[in-house]
């Protein structure tokens, strides 16, 4: 029954505690500046996205996504160790879908992680203990 309700969620947040492995925090080899700059460039170069706010002090990038589904994304980048940086996403949409927004939002997050995986070495996705 929980899967039915999950399907209609209009927001997703990645974290170490997420039950789905693809939605867990991803840890990359690289300094904060390296990862932050490449993630910022990734969204600036995407024609379907508009970067609205960049706060390097807080490690956050806010992005409006126009296609295929209008939504709002906040990327959080945190330095964990000198050469280990974590990336998390919080994505939400006001749009209604008869089939539910969750699968589309999840697919969007997974595609962004795949793009970052091509730019930086993925160190780990921490499993629940």
């Amino acid at each position: 029954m929980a899967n039915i309700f999950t399907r209609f969620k209009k927001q997703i947040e990645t974290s170490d505690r997420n039950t789905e492995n693809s939605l867990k925090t991803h840890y990359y080899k690289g300094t904060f500046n390296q990862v932050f700059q490449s993630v910022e460039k990734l969204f600036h170069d995407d024609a379907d996205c508009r970067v609205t706010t960049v706060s390097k002090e807080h490690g956050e990038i806010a992005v409006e996504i126009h296609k295929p589904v209008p939504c709002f994304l906040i990327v959080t980048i945190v330095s964990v160790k000198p050469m280990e940086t974590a990336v998390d996403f919080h994505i939400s949409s006001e749009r209604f879908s008869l089939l539910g927004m969750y699968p589309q939002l999840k697919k969007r997050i997974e595609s962004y992680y795949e793009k970052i995986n091509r730019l930086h070495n993925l160190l780990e996705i921490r499993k629940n203990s």
Side-chain angles (χ1 to χ4, degrees):
M1 195 69 169
N3 283 344
I4 293 171
F5 293 115
T6 298
R7 186 168 193 80
F8 292 97
K9 285 184 179 179
K10 291 185 175 184
Q11 69 176 17
I12 299 174
E13 188 167 0
T14 63
S15 72
D16 282 334
R17 290 180 219 88
N18 202 304
T19 55
E20 296 184 55
N21 282 336
S22 64
L23 298 178
K24 288 185 182 285
T25 302
H26 284 48
Y27 294 84
Y28 294 96
K29 183 176 183 178
T31 66
F32 170 80
N33 286 331
Q34 291 169 335
V35 175
F36 193 92
Q37 287 173 348
S38 61
V39 170
E40 183 180 4
K41 183 178 180 345
L42 179 114
F43 288 105
H44 274 295
D45 293 348
D46 190 333
D48 296 334
C49 298
R50 184 173 77 83
V51 175
T52 58
T53 309
V54 175
S55 175
K56 201 167 188 177
E57 304 81 44
H58 295 106
E60 291 184 346
I61 302 169
V63 182
E64 287 179 358
I65 301 167
H66 305 290
K67 295 180 188 173
V69 177
C71 47
F72 187 71
L73 175 73
I74 297 175
V75 186
T76 306
I77 301 161
V78 178
S79 179
V80 181
K81 296 177 185 171
M83 284 300 287
E84 184 177 338
T85 305
V87 177
D88 272 312
F89 295 105
H90 183 276
I91 191 167
S92 60
S93 178
E94 293 298 314
R95 189 170 174 195
F96 175 78
S97 170
L98 289 173
L99 301 175
M101 286 302 300
Y102 187 87
Q104 294 177 55
L105 297 175
K106 179 182 174 188
K107 187 175 178 183
R108 174 71 61 170
I109 287 176
E110 290 169 343
S111 75
Y112 289 136
Y113 273 141
E114 286 172 15
K115 289 178 182 179
I116 298 170
N117 290 350
R118 286 186 229 123
L119 300 171
H120 296 281
N121 291 331
L122 179 64
L123 291 174
E124 68 178 317
I125 301 170
R126 298 201 174 137
K127 308 287 188 235
N128 286 341
S129 307

